[in-house]
Amino acid sequence: ERAGATRRRILQSAEHLFVERGIAATSMNEIIAASGVTKGGFYFHFTSKAELAAAVVEMIAAEQRAEVMAALGAHERAVDQLAELVRLAAISHETPSAAAMCRLGFELSGTSGAPPMDAFGEWFDLTAALFRRAQAEGDASALPVAALLRAAHGCAEIHWSP
């Protein structure tokens, strides 16, 4: 429990500093000082800044994922869930967590030692699954799912490119 609290404190401190300054401009010593842990305590949880940054991005992604799934859960039919997903995507640029996710994700992708990131794959899989369900429910029988996802991917790359 104590180790989990320490890890969360490090992640939250790093998130704040990374969003404010960027990954490259934030030093390990600043993160350690902001989190109030010892160097040994920090390195017990994270072996590098790249590993920490990846964990911060995953933490933000998990929070976003939970929010989206809760919003989708308010709708029974897949076509209504798709509409909600589109609504959430349309307003996502207004949320601090989405902006942070994009900034950190792009910065992390250029960081040596960072794990590869697939920022949109999970969302495309969810969208495809919802389209298939909508088709099975008789609400989207003629929609070309693969073509729509390819078009959405192209738009996402254009919209989120640094």
Side-chain angles (χ1 to χ4, degrees), residues 64 67-72 81-95:
Q64 289 176 337
E67 290 170 10
V68 167
M69 297 312 286
L72 296 184
Q81 290 178 342
L82 280 166
E84 180 66 11
L85 192 59
V86 169
R87 186 190 72 77
L88 292 170
I91 63 168
S92 69
H93 69 282
E94 300 170 3
T95 64

Side-chain angles (χ1 to χ4, degrees), residues 99-125:
M101 182 75 169
C102 289
R103 176 182 179 175
L104 298 179
F106 283 119
E107 191 174 348
L108 185 60
S109 67
T111 302
S112 176
M117 296 191 60
D118 180 9
F120 300 106
E122 180 179 0
W123 300 111
F124 293 141
D125 292 345

